[in-house]
Amino acid sequence: MDIKKVTIIILTAIIVLALAVFFIFKSETEILEIEETVDQEIIQEEASLINKKNIGYSVEGREIEAYEFGGGDKKLLFVGGIHGGYEWNTVVLAYQMIDYFENNIDLVPTDVSISIIPSLNPDGVYDVIGVSGRFTALDVPKVVGEAGLGRFNSHGVDLNRNFDCKWSPESNWRGNVVSAGEGPFSEPEAATLRDYVYEKKPDAAVFWHSKANTVYASECENGILEQTLDIMNLYATAGQYNSVEFFDAYPITGDVEGWLASVGVPAITVELETHETVEFDRNLAGVKSLIDYYSNI
Ligand SMILES: [Zn+2]
Protein backbone atom coordinates (compact mmCIF):
# COMPACT_ATOMS: atom_id res chain seq x y z
CA MET A 1 0.00 0.00 0.00
CA ASP A 2 1.51 3.32 -0.95
CA ILE A 3 1.68 6.26 1.33
CA LYS A 4 -0.90 8.19 -0.69
CA LYS A 5 -3.60 5.54 -0.18
CA VAL A 6 -2.90 5.35 3.54
CA THR A 7 -3.20 9.13 3.84
CA ILE A 8 -6.57 9.11 2.01
CA ILE A 9 -7.93 6.34 4.26
CA ILE A 10 -6.80 8.17 7.42
CA LEU A 11 -8.24 11.50 6.20
CA THR A 12 -11.55 9.83 5.28
CA ALA A 13 -11.71 8.19 8.70
CA ILE A 14 -11.07 11.55 10.40
CA ILE A 15 -13.80 13.26 8.35
CA VAL A 16 -16.35 10.48 9.06
CA LEU A 17 -15.50 10.63 12.76
CA ALA A 18 -15.78 14.43 12.83
CA LEU A 19 -19.15 14.31 11.06
CA ALA A 20 -20.41 11.66 13.49
CA VAL A 21 -19.34 13.75 16.49
CA PHE A 22 -20.95 16.84 14.91
CA PHE A 23 -24.32 15.17 14.32
CA ILE A 24 -24.45 13.50 17.75
CA PHE A 25 -23.68 16.84 19.42
CA LYS A 26 -26.23 18.66 17.25
CA SER A 27 -29.07 16.24 17.99
CA GLU A 28 -28.35 16.36 21.74
CA THR A 29 -28.46 20.15 21.66
CA GLU A 30 -31.77 20.01 19.82
CA ILE A 31 -33.19 17.59 22.39
CA LEU A 32 -32.08 19.95 25.20
CA GLU A 33 -33.66 22.88 23.38
CA ILE A 34 -36.94 20.99 22.96
CA GLU A 35 -36.90 20.01 26.64
CA GLU A 36 -36.28 23.62 27.63
CA THR A 37 -39.21 24.81 25.51
CA VAL A 38 -41.51 22.21 27.08
CA ASP A 39 -40.37 23.28 30.57
CA GLN A 40 -41.09 26.91 29.75
CA GLU A 41 -44.52 26.04 28.41
CA ILE A 42 -45.34 24.16 31.63
CA ILE A 43 -44.19 27.14 33.73
CA GLN A 44 -46.29 29.50 31.62
CA GLU A 45 -49.28 27.20 31.86
CA GLU A 46 -48.95 27.04 35.65
CA ALA A 47 -48.60 30.83 35.84
CA SER A 48 -51.85 31.29 33.94
CA LEU A 49 -53.55 28.99 36.45
CA ILE A 50 -52.70 31.38 39.31
CA ASN A 51 -54.08 34.92 39.24
CA LYS A 52 -54.04 37.70 41.79
CA LYS A 53 -56.62 40.41 41.26
CA ASN A 54 -57.72 43.60 42.95
CA ILE A 55 -61.52 43.32 42.93
CA GLY A 56 -62.46 46.46 44.85
CA TYR A 57 -61.74 48.88 47.69
CA SER A 58 -62.81 49.30 51.29
CA VAL A 59 -64.32 52.53 52.68
CA GLU A 60 -60.79 53.76 53.50
CA GLY A 61 -59.48 52.75 50.08
CA ARG A 62 -57.68 49.55 51.00
CA GLU A 63 -57.50 46.91 48.25
CA ILE A 64 -59.73 43.85 48.38
CA GLU A 65 -57.81 41.03 46.74
CA ALA A 66 -58.87 37.77 45.11
CA TYR A 67 -56.51 34.89 44.33
CA GLU A 68 -57.65 32.44 41.67
CA PHE A 69 -56.33 28.94 41.07
CA GLY A 70 -57.10 26.54 38.23
CA GLY A 71 -59.23 26.91 35.14
CA GLY A 72 -62.10 24.45 35.60
CA ASP A 73 -65.82 25.07 35.26
CA LYS A 74 -66.69 24.05 38.83
CA LYS A 75 -65.95 27.15 40.87
CA LEU A 76 -65.41 27.28 44.62
CA LEU A 77 -65.21 30.57 46.50
CA PHE A 78 -63.59 31.00 49.93
CA VAL A 79 -63.75 34.25 51.90
CA GLY A 80 -61.90 35.27 55.05
CA GLY A 81 -62.12 38.28 57.30
CA ILE A 82 -65.65 39.60 56.72
CA HIS A 83 -65.45 40.46 60.42
CA GLY A 84 -62.06 42.10 60.08
CA GLY A 85 -59.58 42.22 62.95
CA TYR A 86 -62.10 40.73 65.38
CA GLU A 87 -61.67 37.46 63.46
CA TRP A 88 -58.14 38.05 62.19
CA ASN A 89 -57.37 34.30 62.40
CA THR A 90 -59.66 33.71 59.40
CA VAL A 91 -57.50 36.11 57.34
CA VAL A 92 -54.30 34.30 58.33
CA LEU A 93 -55.97 30.99 57.43
CA ALA A 94 -56.96 32.34 54.01
CA TYR A 95 -53.42 33.53 53.26
CA GLN A 96 -52.00 30.16 54.33
CA MET A 97 -54.49 28.47 51.98
CA ILE A 98 -53.31 30.81 49.19
CA ASP A 99 -49.67 29.81 49.85
CA TYR A 100 -50.66 26.16 49.82
CA PHE A 101 -52.36 26.29 46.43
CA GLU A 102 -49.59 28.45 44.96
CA ASN A 103 -47.18 25.63 45.85
CA ASN A 104 -49.56 22.79 44.95
CA ILE A 105 -51.45 24.02 41.90
CA ASP A 106 -51.44 20.45 40.55
CA LEU A 107 -53.85 19.50 43.37
CA VAL A 108 -56.57 21.62 41.76
CA PRO A 109 -58.24 19.23 39.27
CA THR A 110 -58.62 20.50 35.70
CA ASP A 111 -62.42 20.70 36.08
CA VAL A 112 -62.27 22.88 39.23
CA SER A 113 -61.21 26.43 39.98
CA ILE A 114 -60.77 28.04 43.37
CA SER A 115 -61.07 31.71 44.34
CA ILE A 116 -59.88 32.96 47.71
CA ILE A 117 -60.68 36.45 48.98
CA PRO A 118 -58.47 36.57 52.07
CA SER A 119 -59.64 39.79 53.68
CA LEU A 120 -63.07 41.22 52.86
CA ASN A 121 -62.94 43.86 55.60
CA PRO A 122 -59.37 45.21 55.44
CA ASP A 123 -60.22 48.40 57.39
CA GLY A 124 -61.39 46.26 60.32
CA VAL A 125 -58.12 44.33 60.14
CA TYR A 126 -56.17 47.59 60.15
CA ASP A 127 -58.00 48.72 63.31
CA VAL A 128 -56.58 45.75 65.22
CA ILE A 129 -53.35 44.73 63.47
CA GLY A 130 -52.22 48.12 62.14
CA VAL A 131 -51.26 46.72 58.71
CA SER A 132 -52.85 46.81 55.28
CA GLY A 133 -52.71 43.63 53.21
CA ARG A 134 -50.95 40.49 54.24
CA PHE A 135 -49.93 39.73 57.84
CA THR A 136 -49.18 36.71 60.04
CA ALA A 137 -50.16 35.71 63.57
CA LEU A 138 -46.83 37.22 64.73
CA ASP A 139 -48.06 40.72 63.77
CA VAL A 140 -51.08 40.51 66.05
CA PRO A 141 -50.80 42.52 69.29
CA LYS A 142 -50.97 40.46 72.48
CA VAL A 143 -53.90 42.50 73.79
CA VAL A 144 -56.41 42.82 71.01
CA GLY A 145 -58.51 45.45 72.79
CA GLU A 146 -62.19 45.72 73.50
CA ALA A 147 -64.45 42.85 72.49
CA GLY A 148 -65.62 43.26 68.93
CA LEU A 149 -62.92 45.77 67.95
CA GLY A 150 -62.28 45.56 64.22
CA ARG A 151 -65.49 43.64 63.50
CA PHE A 152 -67.21 46.50 61.65
CA ASN A 153 -66.14 48.43 58.57
CA SER A 154 -65.18 52.12 58.73
CA HIS A 155 -68.82 53.19 58.57
CA GLY A 156 -69.45 51.11 61.71
CA VAL A 157 -71.49 48.60 59.70
CA ASP A 158 -71.48 44.87 60.32
CA LEU A 159 -70.82 43.68 56.76
CA ASN A 160 -72.46 40.33 57.42
CA ARG A 161 -75.75 42.19 57.93
CA ASN A 162 -75.45 44.30 54.75
CA PHE A 163 -76.57 41.74 52.14
CA ASP A 164 -79.91 41.41 50.42
CA CYS A 165 -81.62 38.68 52.42
CA LYS A 166 -84.21 39.77 54.98
CA TRP A 167 -82.23 43.04 55.23
CA SER A 168 -83.23 45.48 57.95
CA PRO A 169 -81.36 48.69 58.99
CA GLU A 170 -80.62 47.40 62.47
CA SER A 171 -79.61 43.85 63.23
CA ASN A 172 -78.18 41.73 66.02
CA TRP A 173 -74.85 40.49 67.18
CA ARG A 174 -74.91 38.47 70.38
CA GLY A 175 -77.80 40.47 71.78
CA ASN A 176 -76.38 43.87 70.74
CA VAL A 177 -77.95 46.09 68.11
CA VAL A 178 -75.59 46.58 65.14
CA SER A 179 -75.85 48.75 62.05
CA ALA A 180 -76.64 46.92 58.82
CA GLY A 181 -75.94 49.98 56.63
CA GLU A 182 -78.28 52.26 54.73
CA GLY A 183 -79.55 49.51 52.46
CA PRO A 184 -78.49 46.15 51.04
CA PHE A 185 -74.99 46.50 49.55
CA SER A 186 -74.62 50.11 50.75
CA GLU A 187 -71.06 49.24 51.83
CA PRO A 188 -68.31 49.01 49.19
CA GLU A 189 -66.96 45.77 50.67
CA ALA A 190 -70.36 44.04 50.37
CA ALA A 191 -70.90 45.46 46.87
CA THR A 192 -67.44 44.18 45.86
CA LEU A 193 -68.34 40.66 46.93
CA ARG A 194 -71.74 40.85 45.20
CA ASP A 195 -70.13 41.95 41.91
CA TYR A 196 -67.46 39.25 42.15
CA VAL A 197 -70.15 36.60 42.71
CA TYR A 198 -72.12 37.86 39.70
CA GLU A 199 -68.95 37.76 37.59
CA LYS A 200 -67.64 34.39 38.78
CA LYS A 201 -70.91 32.53 39.36
CA PRO A 202 -69.47 30.16 41.97
CA ASP A 203 -70.93 26.68 42.47
CA ALA A 204 -70.37 26.93 46.22
CA ALA A 205 -69.05 29.43 48.75
CA VAL A 206 -67.39 29.10 52.16
CA PHE A 207 -67.06 31.95 54.67
CA TRP A 208 -64.51 31.62 57.44
CA HIS A 209 -65.50 33.06 60.83
CA SER A 210 -64.66 32.38 64.47
CA LYS A 211 -65.33 31.09 67.10
CA ALA A 212 -68.08 28.48 67.38
CA ASN A 213 -66.19 25.36 66.21
CA THR A 214 -69.11 24.69 63.89
CA VAL A 215 -70.12 24.60 60.22
CA TYR A 216 -73.51 26.17 59.49
CA ALA A 217 -75.75 25.76 56.44
CA SER A 218 -77.56 28.80 55.00
CA GLU A 219 -80.97 29.80 53.75
CA CYS A 220 -83.02 32.90 53.01
CA GLU A 221 -86.75 32.54 52.29
CA ASN A 222 -86.86 29.16 50.56
CA GLY A 223 -85.16 26.71 52.89
CA ILE A 224 -81.72 25.14 52.70
CA LEU A 225 -80.44 24.07 49.27
CA GLU A 226 -79.75 20.35 49.04
CA GLN A 227 -76.09 20.83 48.06
CA THR A 228 -75.62 23.15 51.03
CA LEU A 229 -76.40 20.28 53.39
CA ASP A 230 -73.99 18.02 51.49
CA ILE A 231 -71.08 20.45 51.69
CA MET A 232 -71.86 21.37 55.31
CA ASN A 233 -71.66 17.71 56.30
CA LEU A 234 -68.57 17.00 54.18
CA TYR A 235 -66.62 20.01 55.46
CA ALA A 236 -67.63 19.40 59.08
CA THR A 237 -66.65 15.73 58.95
CA ALA A 238 -63.34 16.35 57.18
CA GLY A 239 -62.41 19.29 59.42
CA GLN A 240 -63.77 17.76 62.63
CA TYR A 241 -66.20 20.60 63.27
CA ASN A 242 -69.73 20.37 64.58
CA SER A 243 -72.49 20.94 62.04
CA VAL A 244 -75.71 22.87 62.55
CA GLU A 245 -78.36 23.45 59.89
CA PHE A 246 -79.90 26.62 61.34
CA PHE A 247 -78.06 29.36 63.23
CA ASP A 248 -80.49 30.01 66.06
CA ALA A 249 -78.37 31.67 68.79
CA TYR A 250 -79.97 35.04 67.86
CA PRO A 251 -81.89 36.34 64.83
CA ILE A 252 -79.73 37.48 61.92
CA THR A 253 -80.71 39.59 58.92
CA GLY A 254 -78.75 40.53 55.83
CA ASP A 255 -76.07 37.82 56.08
CA VAL A 256 -74.03 37.01 52.98
CA GLU A 257 -74.63 33.27 53.15
CA GLY A 258 -78.42 33.83 53.18
CA TRP A 259 -78.13 36.16 50.18
CA LEU A 260 -76.12 33.53 48.28
CA ALA A 261 -78.80 30.93 49.09
CA SER A 262 -81.40 33.34 47.68
CA VAL A 263 -79.52 33.51 44.36
CA GLY A 264 -79.07 29.73 44.25
CA VAL A 265 -75.47 29.41 45.46
CA PRO A 266 -74.88 26.85 48.22
CA ALA A 267 -72.96 28.64 51.00
CA ILE A 268 -71.64 27.54 54.37
CA THR A 269 -70.23 29.37 57.38
CA VAL A 270 -67.18 27.75 58.93
CA GLU A 271 -66.54 29.01 62.46
CA LEU A 272 -63.03 28.22 63.69
CA GLU A 273 -62.71 26.96 67.25
CA THR A 274 -61.17 30.08 68.80
CA HIS A 275 -60.35 33.66 67.79
CA GLU A 276 -56.59 32.91 67.89
CA THR A 277 -56.04 29.52 66.21
CA VAL A 278 -55.62 29.12 62.45
CA GLU A 279 -56.57 25.40 62.19
CA PHE A 280 -54.96 25.06 58.77
CA ASP A 281 -54.90 21.25 58.55
CA ARG A 282 -58.54 20.91 59.57
CA ASN A 283 -59.61 23.46 56.97
CA LEU A 284 -57.39 22.04 54.25
CA ALA A 285 -59.17 18.73 54.81
CA GLY A 286 -62.49 20.58 54.53
CA VAL A 287 -61.44 22.38 51.34
CA LYS A 288 -60.22 19.12 49.77
CA SER A 289 -63.52 17.43 50.62
CA LEU A 290 -65.36 20.11 48.61
CA ILE A 291 -62.89 19.80 45.70
CA ASP A 292 -63.57 16.04 45.63
CA TYR A 293 -67.32 16.64 45.78
CA TYR A 294 -67.36 19.02 42.81
CA SER A 295 -64.68 17.32 40.66
CA ASN A 296 -65.52 14.44 38.38
CA ILE A 297 -61.88 13.53 37.81
ZN1 LIG B 1 -67.85 36.42 62.12
Side-chain angles (χ1 to χ4, degrees):
M1 203 183 284
D2 63 36
I3 194 100
K4 207 173 167 188
K5 273 187 180 165
V6 171
T7 311
I8 288 167
I9 288 167
I10 290 171
L11 279 175
T12 311
I14 288 170
I15 288 165
V16 168
L17 202 64
L19 282 173
V21 168
F22 172 75
F23 281 113
I24 288 168
F25 181 75
K26 188 168 177 280
S27 68
E28 288 217 339
T29 315
E30 274 170 4
I31 288 167
L32 282 177
E33 276 170 4
I34 289 166
E35 280 174 355
E36 214 164 86
T37 315
V38 170
D39 281 350
Q40 271 174 0
E41 276 170 7
I42 288 169
I43 289 166
Q44 273 170 2
E45 204 171 283
E46 286 189 350
S48 71
L49 292 175
I50 302 174
N51 286 307
K52 181 189 167 188
K53 282 184 184 168
N54 171 22
I55 58 169
Y57 293 94
S58 65
V59 172
E60 292 180 4
R62 294 192 170 84
E63 280 188 11
I64 298 172
E65 305 169 323
Y67 293 75
E68 300 171 345
F69 304 93
D73 288 340
K74 289 290 177 189
K75 296 168 188 165
L76 306 180
L77 171 64
F78 298 88
V79 181
I82 194 170
H83 283 141
Y86 175 65
E87 294 173 5
W88 59 262
N89 55 338
T90 68
V91 180
V92 174
L93 170 63
Y95 276 115
Q96 287 188 6
M97 209 60 79
I98 287 163
D99 288 347
Y100 179 84
F101 283 110
E102 273 179 355
N103 293 321
N104 298 280
I105 186 65
D106 51 320
L107 294 183
V108 181
T110 51
D111 60 347
V112 169
S113 57
I114 293 174
S115 296
I116 304 177
I117 298 172
S119 190
L120 190 64
N121 179 6
D123 295 348
V125 167
Y126 186 83
D127 285 345
V128 172
I129 319 290
V131 295
S132 299
R134 192 182 176 124
F135 65 95
T136 72
L138 298 174
D139 300 312
V140 179
K142 284 270 180 297
V143 179
V144 164
E146 64 189 272
L149 181 71
R151 178 183 174 91
F152 308 113
N153 79 345
S154 286
H155 290 154
V157 173
D158 189 324
L159 293 174
N160 207 30
R161 308 289 183 270
N162 189 231
F163 287 79
D164 195 8
C165 162
K166 304 176 192 168
W167 181 87
S168 115
E170 287 189 340
S171 191
N172 286 287
W173 169 51
R174 302 174 74 179
N176 303 305
V177 173
V178 294
S179 167
E182 291 178 358
F185 308 114
S186 62
E187 303 311 301
E189 299 88 350
T192 295
L193 187 77
R194 173 200 59 198
D195 295 346
Y196 190 71
V197 164
Y198 283 151
E199 181 205 321
K200 275 281 160 194
K201 301 182 175 59
D203 291 277
V206 175
F207 290 80
W208 285 309
H209 288 256
S210 55
K211 58 166 189 178
N213 198 31
T214 298
V215 181
Y216 296 94
S218 60
E219 57 102 29
C220 193
E221 310 280 359
N222 296 311
I224 303 173
L225 298 166
E226 201 179 311
Q227 276 186 16
T228 306
L229 286 179
D230 286 351
I231 63 175
M232 175 192 77
N233 287 321
L234 282 170
Y235 200 108
T237 303
Q240 296 179 294
Y241 291 103
N242 302 315
S243 60
V244 173
E245 291 184 16
F246 295 97
F247 184 86
D248 59 0
Y250 46 89
I252 284 182
T253 56
D255 64 304
V256 62
E257 297 88 349
W259 169 68
L260 282 163
S262 78
V263 294
V265 179
I268 55 173
T269 301
V270 175
E271 292 248 5
L272 307 186
E273 191 167 353
T274 76
H275 281 320
E276 294 83 31
T277 46
V278 175
E279 301 161 34
F280 177 78
D281 290 340
R282 294 170 70 184
N283 283 280
L284 180 60
V287 170
K288 285 183 172 172
S289 75
L290 297 203
I291 293 175
D292 287 347
Y293 179 76
Y294 282 98
S295 175
N296 288 314
I297 293 173

